[in-house]
Amino acid sequence: DGAIHPYRAARFTPTANAHVLRAGREGLYATVGSDHRRHDVKGDFELSDGGRGHEKAYVRFEDVEFRRSRSHASRFTGADSEGKDTGAVHAVLFELKDHFRIGWTDPRAGTHHLCCDSPDLVADTGCVMGDVLIAPPDDGREPEPGWPWVRRVEFVGDHAVRTMSAEQVTVTRDGMYYLWFVTCDASLGESITVTGRTTWRNPHGYLPGMMRHMRPFFGTLALAYGGLAFWWTAKVAKAHMKRPDVVTQLHHGVTAVVAASFAESFLWYADYEYFNAVGARPAALTLLASCVGAARESASRTLVLVVSTGYGVVRPTLGGLSTKVVGLGAAYFVAAVALDVATHVGNVDDLTQTTRVLLVIPVALMDAAYILWIFSSLSRTLAQLRARRQLAKLALYARFANVLAVSVVGSVMWILYETWFRATDALNQKWQGDWGVGAVWH
C-alpha cells in the first residue's frame, strides 16, 4: 500500500520464543542537515523544523491499536490485576546493520532467544524479564544510546484494547530500516491483533529509498522517447508526402512501439510523482502503466519477429504464420501484465521468491521462444536474400542480425548480473543501487 503501511487486524506469528509481526521495511535517507553519526527520537506528532517538514526523514506511528481477545483479558478480572501490567507489546525499529542485535543466541545450546523469559537469560545477558533482548554490538563499538528504538506498550488490568501513543522517530542516518511488533507472552501472541498505520517518509517525499531515483529516471526517459517520437513521426510524414507507397505497415508498427514507450515512461513518472506526494500508489494509474508497458514489450518483440521473417522483403504476407505470431504476442502480453501487476500494484516490498518464480517462468520461456523463432527466421531470410543476390538488402539484414545478437548477449549478461545481485542481497544491503538493476530493462 505504499510508504503508509496500514495494519488491518494483522496477527502475530511465532518466532523463536516470541510472537512477532513484521510491520514494515524501507530504505530511508537521512534527514537533511542531520548528524549522520546518530539517531534522533521525537515523541511529538507534529514536525518541529520551522516549516521544512519535507526535509525530514521519519517513521511515524498513527492510531496503532493492539487488541487482545476477551478470553485473554478476562483472566485478569479482579482487584489483584486492576491498574497492573497484564501483558505487553514491544515496537522495535532497527537498522539493517543492527539486525543481529535483535535477540541473543545461546553459544552453549545454539538456541536463539528474542525475549528475556528465564532467570538463566537474565544471568547470561543482564536483560529485563519480559522485555525484548537487545544484544550489544559484536564489533567492539559502543552501542548507540536509544538505538535500536524500542517502545513498550502495556495492557492494564482486564482492558482488551491498548492504543500506542503517537510517536515520530526522526531518521538521521541512511539505512534500510525494519519495524517489528513483538510480544514475549505466548498466550497474548496467539490472540492479539494490530490496527492502525505507520508512515515512512524520506526527505524527498514518500517514495521509499529503493525507488527514489525511479521518478527522475522515468521523467528523463519520457523526454527522450518524446523526442524520438517527434523525430520518427516527422521522418515518416516526410517520406509519406514524397512517396506514399514507401511507408509500410512496419513503419506504422515502429511508430506504435515508440508511442507506447513514451506513454509507458510518462505514466510511470506520473505514478511515482503521485506516490511521492501522497504516500500510496494510485492503483488505477499503476495498472494502466503496467498494461501499456506489457503491450510495448509484446509489440516490440512481435515487430522484430515479423521483420525477421522477411515480411515486405522476401514475402508479401505472413500467410499461415499470422495466427502463431498473434497468439505468441497475446500470450506474452498476458504473462507480462501478470508479472508487472503483481510487482507494482499495491505493493512496495519484494514479492516472495515462490511467487516471483511462478510469474517469471512464463515470461522467460516466451522470451526464449521469441529468440529462437527470430534467429531461425533470420537465418532463412538471409539465405533467401543471398540466393536472390539482393546484396543491399542482404547487408541490411546482416547488420540487423548482428545488432540482435549483441542485444541478446547483453541481455543474458545482465540477467546473470541481476541474478547474482539478488542472490547476494537477500537483506537489501545494496538498497540504494537496487533501482538501477530493474531500470535497465526500460
Side-chain angles (χ1 to χ4, degrees):
D1 283 86
I4 299 174
H5 294 255
Y7 314 113
R8 304 180 181 94
R11 290 193 167 276
F12 289 57
T13 56
T15 304
N17 63 336
H19 281 69
V20 179
L21 171 64
R22 291 169 174 81
R25 69 154 179 90
E26 283 190 19
L28 295 174
Y29 287 90
T31 294
V32 175
S34 63
D35 181 354
H36 289 235
R37 296 169 298 176
R38 63 181 182 82
H39 288 87
D40 184 29
V41 178
K42 284 190 177 294
D44 57 332
F45 189 85
E46 298 297 329
L47 299 179
S48 57
D49 61 348
R52 297 179 291 109
H54 64 285
E55 296 181 354
K56 269 191 177 291
Y58 59 78
V59 179
R60 189 163 65 196
F61 296 80
E62 303 175 15
D63 303 319
V64 176
E65 182 182 270
F66 301 99
R67 183 180 296 272
R68 59 181 172 177
S69 65
R70 275 291 172 192
S71 60
H72 186 277
S74 64
R75 301 179 188 179
F76 307 102
T77 301
D80 291 342
S81 299
E82 188 173 348
K84 295 182 179 180
D85 172 7
T86 56
V89 179
H90 296 82
V92 184
L93 180 68
F94 59 96
E95 194 179 347
L96 175 60
K97 68 181 183 64
D98 287 329
H99 75 279
F100 66 91
R101 297 183 57 197
I102 310 304
W104 180 76
T105 300
D106 187 339
R108 300 181 296 272
T111 307
H112 189 68
H113 303 272
L114 281 176
C115 289
C116 185
D117 61 357
S118 72
D120 289 340
L121 285 174
V122 174
D124 288 337
T125 67
C127 61
V128 177
M129 185 71 75
D131 280 357
V132 174
L133 270 161
I134 305 296
D138 62 358
D139 55 4
R141 60 187 170 87
E142 286 295 320
E144 188 175 350
W147 203 258
W149 180 89
V150 181
R151 280 293 179 273
R152 178 183 173 98
V153 182
E154 299 175 351
F155 286 93
V156 178
D158 61 352
H159 295 179
V161 179
R162 184 70 168 90
T163 301
M164 184 177 177
S165 60
E167 294 202 57
Q168 179 174 294
V169 184
T170 302
V171 175
T172 57
R173 186 164 59 199
D174 297 351
M176 175 63 69
Y177 289 84
Y178 288 75
L179 173 63
W180 289 2
F181 292 126
V182 183
T183 179
C184 297
D185 184 333
S187 60
L188 177 61
E190 292 172 357
S191 69
I192 195 170
T193 60
V194 183
T195 59
R197 70 180 192 175
T198 53
T199 298
W200 305 56
R201 203 175 198 281
N202 271 288
H204 55 267
Y206 286 106
L207 267 181
M210 293 175 71
M211 298 181 179
R212 175 182 182 179
H213 300 287
M214 298 303 282
R215 183 169 55 114
F217 169 76
F218 278 111
T220 303
L221 200 61
L223 290 174
Y225 276 127
L228 178 61
F230 178 81
W231 174 82
W232 175 257
T233 303
K235 292 278 287 185
V236 171
K238 184 178 179 180
H240 185 270
M241 289 175 63
K242 289 183 177 180
R243 289 184 57 188
D245 58 309
V246 171
V247 180
T248 66
Q249 290 182 345
L250 290 178
H251 292 91
H252 295 315
V254 173
T255 303
V257 170
V258 173
S261 299
F262 167 73
E264 179 194 9
S265 301
F266 179 78
L267 288 170
W268 280 123
Y269 172 76
D271 175 79
Y272 286 113
E273 181 69 29
Y274 182 94
F275 188 1
N276 191 57
V278 176
R281 300 199 82 153
L285 185 57
T286 309
L287 178 61
L288 179 59
S290 298
C291 289
V292 172
R296 187 263 307 166
E297 293 173 6
S298 176
S300 60
R301 286 161 173 75
T302 301
L303 184 62
V304 172
L305 175 59
V306 169
V307 172
S308 300
T309 63
Y311 173 75
V313 177
V314 297
R315 59 192 312 164
T317 66
L318 291 177
L321 292 177
S322 297
T323 303
K324 296 179 181 178
V325 170
V326 172
L328 180 59
Y332 191 93
F333 171 77
V334 172
V337 164
L339 176 60
D340 286 348
V341 168
T343 302
H344 297 292
V345 177
N347 188 50
V348 174
D349 292 339
D350 296 332
L351 296 173
T352 63
Q353 290 299 322
T354 302
T355 303
R356 180 172 288 279
V357 168
L358 290 175
L359 292 172
V360 166
I361 284 178
V363 176
L365 290 176
M366 280 184 276
D367 271 330
Y370 266 116
I371 291 171
L372 292 174
W373 197 354
I374 285 170
F375 279 100
S376 62
S377 298
L378 262 178
S379 178
R380 286 191 294 269
T381 302
L382 288 169
Q384 287 178 303
L385 291 173
R386 195 174 291 110
R388 298 178 184 182
R389 302 188 63 80
Q390 296 179 334
L391 300 182
K393 294 179 180 179
L394 177 62
L396 183 64
Y397 263 81
R399 288 196 296 271
F400 178 60
N402 290 335
V403 170
L404 285 181
V406 171
S407 299
V408 170
V409 171
S411 296
V412 171
M413 291 178 65
W414 193 258
I415 288 171
L416 293 175
Y417 171 75
E418 184 174 4
T419 302
W420 170 84
F421 185 93
R422 303 295 182 196
T424 59
D425 192 36
L427 297 178
N428 298 116
Q429 301 99 317
K430 307 171 187 175
W431 62 276
Q432 289 169 304
D434 183 87
W435 71 275
V437 177
V440 168
W441 298 114
H442 293 276

